[in-house]
Amino acid sequence: VYGYKMSCMRSPILEEASVEVVPNQYVVSNSVNVLDLNINTCTVADTEFSSSFELKITKDCDLTGILGYFDTFFDLPTPVMFSTGPQVKPTHWKQTVFFLPEKLPVKASQTLSCKMVCKRMKTDARALKVSLTLDEKTYRYTVD
């Protein structure tokens, strides 16, 4: 919209995770598993979790977000696996991007201490509240 200052929209937009395809060339850390669910035995309660992890940075840059995706494994006579990660051909699930409100300068070989806490929204059974901590700084998001 021309002629209108839209900066007031920035904060609410950044509080909602974005679903999009991120090319692997923009990934600047290792991948970590924050939750492992057995689809045969998991319950809705299992989708509420807290997970601490470390991200090892692979190149000097300004970190602008954290990327989430899932891998699925089927234990069949001939095992089947697929990923929604940036390292494979994109699927319709894409990836979930948690954009940071400000760029975070990082260096190759740096390790970020991280924590993700995921809770279900009481008002929407399919939506999640996610808090993401990177080196003592916590960001909050909605995933719906």
Side-chain angles (χ1 to χ4, degrees), residues 96-117:
T96 301
V97 183
F98 300 94
F99 285 108
L100 301 177
E102 63 273 335
K103 294 176 183 177
L104 177 63
V106 293
K107 300 278 185 194
S109 301
Q110 180 180 348
T111 299
L112 295 177
S113 294
C114 307
K115 183 176 183 180
M116 177 180 270
V117 178

Side-chain angles (χ1 to χ4, degrees), residues 113-127:
S113 294
C114 307
K115 183 176 183 180
M116 177 180 270
V117 178
C118 184
K119 302 281 184 191
R120 299 189 74 76
M121 298 271 285
K122 292 182 170 111
T123 56
D124 182 351
R126 294 178 53 112

